[in-house]
C-alpha cells in the first residue's frame, strides 16, 4: 500500500482527493492537513465523510507531523506554500504531486511574470514532470515531483494536442473558450460566487489573455508543436457546481473532414484510458463526465471558414484536478494507470 | 461472484444500479434490459458508461434472454411489469429485488385502491420482504423477493421509526413534508419537468394525502408501532437533480429534550452503517449524502408546541433506490451489508 | 409625486424597491443610501440600473442629507439602525415604511427575547401599523410608521388567516414548513450561501421554533383569532434565487371539503388585489409569482387525518418585502393599492 | 393606443410580449392566439397572468378573428406559419413584426438552403426590414413588415458591428461562441431539455457552422462591412433559464487598445438607448440584463495574439426577442424608442 499524505484536504480539490483515494485499492491515506480546519475531525469540515473516514483527523499546516511516514504527498494548495514545502518533502524521500501551479511553468521568469512572486525553488522547476499523462506520461514512472496541470490547460491541451502535433493547426490561430462550473473558483466565499449572484448568470473573467493558465497551455502545446504557439484563452463561469466544457477553434492548415479528424484523435489517444473521442456528429456534455476521470472530445469542421472546432468536457475536480493527480500517482509508482479511477460518471 | 440482471437499466434508478454495481467487488452485472433503448450499446443510452462498461449491451424487455444465467434480478420498473415478471423469475431460481412499488403493500386491496389496478400476483405479497434493512433487516438473509422501499418512505420511516417504536409520537400526529430533486420524477420529458419550467421554481404535488407513498409509510410505521398510524404526507419538487430532505413533525407524548432524542435515535440505529444521527444542533443537508447510500438524521424539539422536528436527508437514487437495493442484495446473499457501498458523498 | 428616500438601497430588498419604484407613476425616488456602497454611482453597486437611473447616487448612512426633502422613507436595513433612525424621521415629518424587523413586534420584551437587544424606541411600538394590508389595511391610510412584515410571516399569515379567523383551525395545531430561495438570506457572502455549497442542496435552518419570524407569525394570527396561537415554523433553503413556498398544516375543528375552503378563502380575500386563491385541484408554484406582488394560495384537505393543507407562494423580494412595502406606501398616501405594482410575473 | 395582436402568445417569446406590453402606455393588446392552448383563458396557459390580464382569452390559429381590429400583429411562431399569414395581414392593413425567422434572410435560396423549405412569400423578402434598430433603424419608421432578429444574431451583430463597420476586423476572422439559457430552446419538452438532464450540464449544439443563425449574422455584417463576411458560430446551452452571453473573437487589422475600442463602440452606439458599452476592465454578465431590453458590451484586447474579445450579454427573451420586437414596434409607429421598455433588470 502506498502511504499518501494530503495537504489542503478541505478545499474542493483536496476533498475530491480524499473521496477518490478512499476507494483506491493500493493507496492508504495516512494523514490530512487543512490550513482552515486543522485540528478538527475530518467530518466537521467534510460532513459527507462521516462514517466513511472517521479515523482521519485534520492536521494543521502543510507538512506531515513528525513520525508520520508517507510515500507520497499530494498538495492541493494556492500558489506559494507548495514551493516552500516541496524541497523538504523531496529530501525526506516523499514523492510529490503538486495540484497547484508552483511547478507547472518551466521558467522562473515566466512564473514571476504571471504569478507576481519570485519562485522559491527555481532549481526544481527543471526537474518537475508536467503531469498530463496522455502527452507527457513517459516521464512519469519514477518521477519524484509532478506538477499536476490546471483544469483549463488539461482540457485545452487534450483538445488541441493532436491538431498541433500533426501540424494541422496554425500555431497562432488557436482560441480556447472555456466554460467552468463554480467549484473551480474554490471554497472561499466571495461576492461573485454568492449563490444569488452566480445563479442564473454567465460571465467571462480575465479576458484578453490575462488568465494564468494561458502560459501553461502555450508551454505544453509548444512542446508538442516544436515551435512557438500563441493561444487566446477566455474563461467563463456558468451556474453549475462542477464541470468544464472547452470549445477550441483552430484554423486548419489543410482541408480535412470530421472523419479524418476523429481518426487522428483516436490514433493520438489510442492508449489513453481516460480520453474518449466521440463518433462524428456526437458532442460531449459535462454531465457525462461528472465525478469521473474522463475527458470527452467531440470534433467538428466548419468547412465554410476552414476551422476545426474541438469540444472537450471534463470534471474540473476529476480529470481537471484530483482524478488526474491520482492517475499521475499511479504512473509514478508503477501501478495500473486506472487504479482507483474506473468510476462511471454520476448520472443524472 | 453474484450474477445480477438489471431490468429498467436506462431509467435513473437503473442507471444508478449499474454505476454502483460496476464497483461492487462481489457482483457481476451479466445483463441489462431497457424498454426504450433495447438493442443499443449501453453507452448510447448512458454516455457516461463509455470506457467503463463497453461490453454490456441493452436487451429488450424485462426478462433475461434464454441462456443468460443470473442469481438475482434487480427490477427498476414502473408499476405493472414487475408483478408480471416476478413469478417466473422466482420459479427460475432468480432472486428478486423490486425497486418499483408492486410488492411494497401487503394487501392487494390497498394496492388496488392506490394504484388503480388489480394485483397480478397477490399470493406473493405476503412473501415479499419490505427492504428497509434498518427496521426489517432480520427477514432479509435468504429472502427470495424483496420490495425495495420508495424514496419518500425510506426517508419518512427512518425519520419516524424511533419515535413511533418508543411510543413517543401520537400516532395520528405525524406530518411529513418532503422536498425532492427532480430526478425523482423520472427520465421521461414532461411539461412540468422541462428545465425552464422547473428551474427557479418550487411546488408541491399530490397534496392532501393523495400520494401513493402514503399507505407505504403508514404500513411500515404500523409495524413498528403495533397500532394504526395516520400520516399527512406532502411531496414537493425543488430545483435540483438529486436528493430528498424530509421534515417530519410529531406531537410528543411526553417532554423530552434534543439530547434525549439523539440518544434514542442512536440506540435505534446503533448497528446501522448507513444512518448517521447528527449531534444536537447539527442539521442534515442533501449535499452531504449526494451519490452515497447514507441517510442523515437531525433532531430538534419545539418546546413551545411540544413537537419533535426530525430532518432526514438522503439521495433519492442512493439510499432512496439503487443504493438501498444493493444493501438489500448484500443482506439477502450473506455479503457484508456495506459491500460496494462505502462511497463518500460527491462534494461539492 | 410622492418623494421617497430609500435606505439600504443596495441590499436585495432595497434594490427591488428601486427597480419597482422606477416604474411607479406617482412616486419619485429622491435619494438612496447604502452602508456599503455609499458615495458610488448607483450603477457601480447595481449594474442593471445603468441607463435607467443614472442620475441617482448612493449616499452614506441611513438618513437623507440636509436639504433633501422626502415625504416617505423606506428602510431596508438589518435589525438595529432603523429603530435609531425612525424617531428623527417621524419628527421631520417623513413617513416611514420599515422593511426590517424593528417595529413588527408590539412588545419590547418580546423584541428583546428574540432579537437579543433592548429596543431603542419602545414608545413607537404601539404606534406602528403592521403592514399586511389584506388583514390590517384599515389602519394604513394616514399611518406614519408602518412595519413591513417579514417574508415568511407574509406567506404564513396569508395562508393561515382565513382558517384562524373562521375558527376552523386548532390554535395549537398549526405547522408552517417554508421553502425559500437564497436571496432571502441577503447579499453578504457566507460559507453556506457560496454557490458550490448551496447549489444542489436543500437544508433546514433554525429548526424547533427558533426563527425570529415565529413570534411575528403568532402575534398576527392572535390578532385574527382573538386568542393565543402557537405555531411550529421551520424555514428551509432551496437552490433558487427568489421565491417562497410555505406549506401550512392545520388540524381542522370540523369537517370541510376543498370547495368549502376555497369559498372561505375567496370571501376573506375578496377585496385583495394581490391574493389569488386557486381553484380546487390547482397548486401554486413560485415561478408564477416571480418578480410580482402576488401571493398565490392553493388549498387541500387530507380527509384521512382531518387536516387542511394550504400552500402559499410569493416572491420573497416582492410581496415578501419590496412589493408589499410599496403596497403599504400606496395605502398610506391614499393612492390606488395597485399603483406601480400591476406587474405580471417574469416567465419563465 | 396602438392595437396589437399576438400570435404564438403562450410560447416563451409570446408570453414575454404579453408581459411587457401590459405595461406599455401606448399599446393595447386586443387579442392573443395560441396553437396549443387556443380556447383557454390566458391564465390557464400562463398562470402568472391571473389578476393581470383576466379579460384576455386565447384564440386558436394565427390570424385575428373576424371583427377584431388590430394595427399591428406580433408573430412569435416557428418557421413556416408566419410566411403564410403575413401576406393577408399586410393586405388587411395590419403591420407585422415577425419574431420568427421567415423574413430575416433576404434571399429565398438562402432560406431554402438553411431552413429546408420553399419560401411561400418570396416577393416580401425584399420589403421586410431587418429589425435591429441600432444598425438598421432608419428603415423602421413607417415600415409595414419587420423581421425581428434572432437572439444570437442580435448579440453577435451588436458585438461585431462597430469592428466590422470600422474595418478593424478581418472579415474571415470572426468567431462567435455563444452561451444561452434554456428558454432559448422553447417551451416544448424534449429529452435534452429535461431538468435532470440539462441541470449541471453544459454542451454545445449545431457545431461547425451549421446553426441557422449563421447566415443571418453574416448577412447583417456584410451590410455593415460592404463585403463578404464569414463567421464561425457555435451555440451552447448552459443551465439557467434566461440570458445569452456571446463571446466574439476578431483578428484586428491594426493595433488598438481597449480605450480605443471603447471609444469606437461608444461612438457607434451613441444614440442607442439599449446598448451599454462598459468601461474598460468591466465585463458584462447576463444577470445585469435579466428581464430588460438592454445589451451590455464589454471589450478587451489580447495584445499577444492581436485579437479583440467582445462580450455581449442580453436576455434572449428581451433584447433577443420580445423586447426588441417592441422597440421595433415603437419605431414603426413613431413612438419613443423606449416606450414600455424602460425596465431595470430583475436583480438578483
Amino acid at each position: 500500500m502506498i502511504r499518501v499524505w494530503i495537504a489542503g484536504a478541505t478545499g474542493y480539490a483536496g476533498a475530491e482527493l480524499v473521496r477518490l483515494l478512499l476507494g483506491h485499492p493500493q493507496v492508504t491515506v495516512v494523514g490530512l492537513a487543512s490550513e482552515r480546519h486543522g485540528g478538527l475531525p475530518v467530518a466537521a469540515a467534510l460532513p459527507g465523510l462521516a462514517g466513511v473516514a472517521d479515523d482521519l483527523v485534520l492536521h494543521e499546516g502543510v507538512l506531515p507531523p513528525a513520525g508520520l511516514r508517507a510515500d507520497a504527498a499530494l498538495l492541493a494548495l494556492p500558489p506559494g506554500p507548495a514551493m516552500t514545502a516541496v524541497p523538504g518533502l523531496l529530501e525526506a524521500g516523499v514523492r510529490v504531486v503538486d495540484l497547484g501551479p508552483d511547478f507547472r511553468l518551466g521558467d522562473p521568469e515566466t512564473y514571476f511574470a504571471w504569478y507576481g512572486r519570485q519562485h522559491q525553488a527555481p532549481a526544481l522547476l527543471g526537474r518537475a514532470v508536467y503531469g498530463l499523462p496522455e502527452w507527457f506520461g513517459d516521464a512519469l514512472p519514477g518521477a519524484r515531483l509532478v506538477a499536476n496541470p490546471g483544469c483549463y490547460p488539461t482540457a485545452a491541451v487534450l483538445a488541441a494536442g493532436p491538431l498541433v502535433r500533426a501540424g494541422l493547426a496554425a500555431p497562432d490561430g488557436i482560441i480556447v473558450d472555456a466554460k467552468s462550473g463554480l467549484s473551480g473558483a474554490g471554497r472561499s466565499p466571495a461576492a461573485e460566487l454568492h449563490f444569488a449572484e452566480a445563479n442564473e448568470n454567465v460571465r467571462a473573467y480575465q479576458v484578453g489573455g490575462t488568465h494564468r493558465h494561458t502560459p501553461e497551455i502555450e508551454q505544453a502545446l509548444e512542446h508538442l508543436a516544436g515551435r512557438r504557439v500563441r493561444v487566446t484563452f477566455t474563461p467563463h463561469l456558468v451556474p453549475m457546481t462542477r464541470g468544464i466544457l472547452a470549445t477550441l477553434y483552430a484554423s486548419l492548415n489543410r482541408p480535412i473532414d470530421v472523419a479524418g479528424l476523429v481518426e487522428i484523435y483516436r490514433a493520438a489517444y489510442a492508449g489513453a484510458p481516460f480520453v474518449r473521442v466521440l463518433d462524428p456528429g456526437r458532442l460531449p456534455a459535462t454531465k457525462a463526465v461528472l465525478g469521473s476521470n474522463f475527458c470527452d472530445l467531440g470534433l467538428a469542421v466548419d468547412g465554410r471558414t476552414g476551422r476545426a472546432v474541438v469540444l472537450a468536457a471534463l470534471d474540473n475536480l476529476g480529470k481537471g484536478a484530483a482524478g488526474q493527480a491520482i492517475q499521475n500517482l499511479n504512473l509514478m509508482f508503477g501501478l495500473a494507470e486506472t487504479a482507483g479511477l474506473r468510476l462511471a460518471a454520476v448520472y443524472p
Side-chain angles (χ1 to χ4, degrees), chain A residues 19 41 68 98 201 217 225 291:
Chain A
R19 179 178 84 91
L68 194 154
D98 180 18
N201 200 6
I217 297 169

Side-chain angles (χ1 to χ4, degrees), chain A residues 211-284:
Chain A
H211 192 283
R212 289 165 168 181
H213 284 173
T214 305
E216 186 183 336
I217 297 169
E218 291 175 350
Q219 173 184 283
L221 293 181
E222 286 174 350
H223 274 288
L224 304 185
R227 49 164 298 180
R228 207 184 80 130
V229 173
R230 282 292 167 269
V231 172
T232 294
F233 167 60
T234 312
H236 300 74
L237 292 178
V238 299
M240 63 183 195
T241 300
R242 282 177 175 229
I244 287 176
L245 186 77
T247 311
L248 178 138
Y249 301 91
S251 296
L252 290 165
N253 285 331
R254 57 178 170 83
I256 187 167
D257 63 6
V258 179
L261 273 188
V262 167
E263 202 175 312
I264 288 171
Y265 274 70
R266 290 200 166 148
Y269 295 120
F274 295 114
V275 176
R276 298 185 291 207
V277 180
L278 306 185
D279 289 339
R282 301 288 304 276
L283 293 172

Side-chain angles (χ1 to χ4, degrees), chain A residues 21-86:
Chain A
L21 287 177
L22 289 173
H24 194 300
Q26 290 147 292
V27 166
T28 313
V29 177
V30 293
L32 307 176
S34 165
E35 204 71 44
R36 189 171 309 187
H37 303 92
L40 297 176
V42 67
L46 300 169
L49 293 182
V52 179
D54 291 326
D55 48 330
L56 290 170
V57 289
L58 294 167
H59 296 269
E60 291 175 49
V62 169
L63 295 174
L68 194 154
R69 297 282 311 161
D71 302 304
L74 303 183
L75 311 179
L77 303 166
M83 62 185 165
T84 312
V86 165

Side-chain angles (χ1 to χ4, degrees), chain A residues 15 177 192:
Chain A
D177 186 288
E192 69 274 16

